[in-house]
Amino acid sequence: MIYLFPICHPDTAWPEPVSGRNDPLQLITRGNNCCNKGDLQNAAVFWKKALSLLDSETYSDTCLEITLHLASAFQTMGYHRKSLSLLQKMLPVVGKSNTPYPKALFFNAIGDLHLSLGNTEKAADYLLKGVEHARKSKNPRALIMLLNNIGNGLSADRNYAGALDLYDQ
């Protein structure tokens, strides 16, 4: 299941509405509506189109939000490598964001994917970066997700004591 939640700061720049089929806001909304109905295939189509129309320099947080939804949809549909490829392409955009919360969620997503693919060292690197941004964001939800995934990584490496310590935090 995919949970859609806004990750952008309230002051995040959003694109101006455009009439017609190439309005990024309409495409994002249509993608969200499809996702809420369980239609991840069409949600992905709308989100990919919206991403292709947005300038990541101007709308970095918006692009990160859409990318996280799209990557989650791909992962849910079983396309882990496609999801990872999408997130890797967005790494330069993460650096353009000034908001720690979307950065924390991004690093959580890419770390979790690496973990699911058995790349525990890369997973740890990304998850620890995420923890740094989660602490800056002062968002307990982001921190909890990251610590949980780090605990999962420790469990995968059979470090059960370390995992339990994280799960108890």
Side-chain angles (χ1 to χ4, degrees):
M1 172 169 269
I2 296 177
Y3 296 100
L4 296 178
F5 49 92
I7 63 169
C8 294
H9 189 275
D11 297 332
T12 296
W14 279 86
E16 289 296 317
V18 177
S19 62
R21 299 168 59 100
N22 289 329
D23 178 1
L25 288 177
Q26 283 183 6
L27 292 166
I28 294 166
T29 300
R30 290 178 75 185
N32 292 351
N33 290 340
C34 287
C35 181
N36 289 334
K37 293 175 186 172
D39 183 1
L40 298 181
Q41 295 279 49
N42 282 316
V45 169
F46 288 120
W47 290 330
K48 281 172 65 175
K49 179 70 172 170
L51 270 177
S52 73
L53 297 171
L54 290 172
D55 173 28
S56 63
E57 294 280 332
T58 306
Y59 304 111
S60 61
D61 287 346
T62 302
C63 288
L64 281 177
E65 180 172 354
I66 298 165
T67 298
L68 288 170
H69 293 322
L70 183 55
S72 181
F74 285 156
Q75 188 174 5
T76 300
M77 291 186 289
Y79 303 124
H80 293 254
R81 296 210 183 277
K82 192 172 190 176
S83 180
L84 183 59
S85 175
L86 173 68
L87 291 173
Q88 287 172 326
K89 287 178 189 170
M90 290 302 285
L91 277 168
V93 176
V94 175
K96 296 173 187 167
S97 172
N98 295 320
T99 316
Y101 183 58
K103 287 181 173 186
L105 294 181
F106 178 87
F107 288 120
N108 182 61
I110 197 168
D112 180 51
L113 267 167
H114 275 291
L115 188 59
S116 71
L117 294 169
N119 306 327
T120 54
E121 285 186 34
K122 283 185 179 181
D125 290 343
Y126 286 121
L127 293 170
L128 290 173
K129 284 181 188 178
V131 167
E132 177 185 323
H133 292 290
R135 291 191 199 286
K136 287 180 188 175
S137 77
K138 296 182 171 52
N139 186 304
R141 180 177 180 205
L143 187 58
I144 288 166
M145 287 189 305
L146 283 148
L147 292 175
N148 182 66
N149 280 335
I150 293 170
N152 293 344
L154 290 171
S155 290
D157 284 343
R158 292 181 166 56
N159 181 348
Y160 303 115
L164 283 173
D165 286 344
L166 283 175
Y167 294 145
D168 287 339
Q169 286 189 27

